[in-house]
Amino acid sequence: MFVKYWMNQDFPSIRINSTVQEALSVMRKYKVDYCVTTDESGKFQGFVYKSNLADSELDSSVFDHVVFPDFYAYEDSYIEEAALTFRESHEACLAVVDQELNVKGIITLSEILEAFVAITAMDEPGTRVLMKLEDKPGQLKEIFDVLAQNKMNVLSVNTIKEDGFRRVSIKVDTCEPEELAKTLKIFGIEYDRITREEGF
């Protein structure tokens, strides 16, 4: 999934030559302590933070208080890359830009969490099965074939590596955990846990 599908396009933004008063007004409107700054053509210039404006005259320019961050996200980056960037940067939000550094939006941890919920299909009703598989080609194909043969649609699949194995989470569209358990047992597929999820 690309960052552009999750970014927030309604965000605090000002021109780099705006006044301190204008910046504070925008921050107040959005109830945040930062503003994205751009030049006249919309190119990303950095952030201005409320804490840096404390001793500034209201009619002065924010230009000298703008900070260009070490981290930002491209709109065509993967959402997983943005999550890693958050982990490395500890920033409250990231500007989202195109290849010419035109600002397209921002992304915060809130959007990252929304993406995680969607990627794992937590918002959809169904049944999740957790299992441990050997970390080699073909392991998932066997399970997917069984699910397909039994008219169960895969909503999400996630894996984590663990000492030569993969911890696997698969969510399917059936709301009958007993049906999934019975199917896996018939085909000799072992699992750790099966849980019904209501979605929301």
Side-chain angles (χ1 to χ4, degrees):
M1 295 291 182
F2 295 125
V3 167
K4 63 184 176 184
Y5 298 140
W6 301 103
M7 68 183 183
N8 189 340
Q9 293 178 287
D10 182 22
F11 59 95
S13 177
I14 57 173
R15 298 297 188 196
I16 196 168
N17 57 359
S18 298
T19 65
V20 168
Q21 185 170 19
E22 289 172 325
L24 293 174
S25 177
V26 172
M27 292 181 198
R28 203 161 37 244
K29 174 185 174 184
Y30 283 88
K31 299 179 181 178
V32 295
D33 59 1
Y34 62 85
C35 275
V36 175
T37 63
T38 65
D39 63 14
E40 293 302 320
S41 64
K43 292 190 184 300
F44 182 46
Q45 299 298 302
F47 284 90
V48 61
Y49 297 96
K50 187 176 182 179
S51 59
N52 294 342
L53 302 178
D55 300 321
S56 303
E57 296 292 332
L58 291 178
D59 60 352
S60 64
S61 172
V62 299
F63 182 84
D64 293 331
H65 305 289
V66 173
V67 178
F68 196 88
D70 294 328
F71 301 91
Y72 49 88
Y74 288 103
E75 61 179 343
D76 56 357
S77 295
Y78 294 117
I79 195 72
E80 294 88 347
E81 291 179 82
L84 284 174
T85 301
F86 270 108
R87 190 179 71 170
E88 294 173 10
S89 69
H90 305 289
E91 296 286 352
C93 76
L94 299 174
V96 180
V97 299
D98 63 15
Q99 294 300 321
E100 285 73 44
L101 288 188
N102 294 303
V103 178
K104 297 299 182 178
I106 64 168
I107 191 163
T108 68
L109 284 176
S110 179
E111 284 80 40
I112 295 292
L113 290 174
E114 285 180 18
F116 177 79
V117 167
I119 289 170
T120 57
M122 289 294 294
D123 56 340
E124 299 182 63
T127 298
R128 188 178 303 277
V129 56
L130 303 179
M131 56 184 63
K132 185 176 181 180
L133 302 176
E134 290 185 65
D135 190 13
K136 65 180 185 180
Q139 295 294 291
L140 281 172
K141 181 182 183 303
E142 177 186 350
I143 296 168
F144 290 160
D145 286 346
V146 167
L147 295 174
Q149 290 168 18
N150 289 272
K151 310 288 192 235
M152 295 182 191
N153 187 37
V154 174
L155 302 178
S156 75
V157 56
N158 303 94
T159 76
I160 299 174
K161 193 169 185 177
E162 182 185 281
D163 298 327
F165 291 87
R166 285 276 172 182
R167 291 286 179 185
V168 181
S169 167
I170 301 173
K171 186 167 183 179
V172 296
D173 61 355
T174 180
C175 291
E176 301 296 335
E178 298 81 6
E179 178 186 356
L180 177 57
K182 181 179 178 181
T183 299
L184 295 178
K185 185 176 181 180
I186 289 172
F187 287 88
I189 298 173
E190 297 183 0
Y191 61 88
D192 295 327
R193 184 178 180 183
I194 290 181
T195 309
R196 178 177 176 177
E197 294 180 352
E198 299 295 335
F200 54 87

